[in-house]
Amino acid sequence: MRTSIDSTPSHVATCHNEPLQSTDDLLNDATTWLQYARGVTLTLADLIHEAEEVDCQNLALSLEAIAAMTRMGTQQLGEARAQARWDAVAAEEAATFAANRRDEPPLAGFGGI
């Protein structure tokens, strides 16, 4: 199956994260996936350097595996970045809400509740 670099083949692996992973967990997962991809790339390169013949079908499968691991790492990295931004915005909103609550006068007729 030929695909361009920008297209996503239907057989690309995806990983569904736990819904409440922290930014640190997402970054750790991204690092792990990218280290796997790097390790497989180095191993594959060593094997190709030592090989007298190259099995193109197995090479293609290996390259697809590397692409999938790299994609998982970059996907996790993107999710970590989005999570970090979401956390920053939520903290800003909470601080703004707390500041506004302090500045409001007590409700009349409710005994200052």
Side-chain angles (χ1 to χ4, degrees), residues 44-57:
L44 185 61
D46 286 343
L47 290 173
I48 291 172
H49 283 297
E50 294 174 6
E52 292 181 20
E53 287 184 17
V54 175
D55 181 349
C56 290
Q57 186 172 9

Side-chain angles (χ1 to χ4, degrees), residues 9 13 19 31-32 51 59 61 64 71 90-91 96 104:
T31 301
T32 300
L59 177 60
L61 288 173
E64 287 176 4
R71 180 185 174 116
T96 301
E104 290 179 4

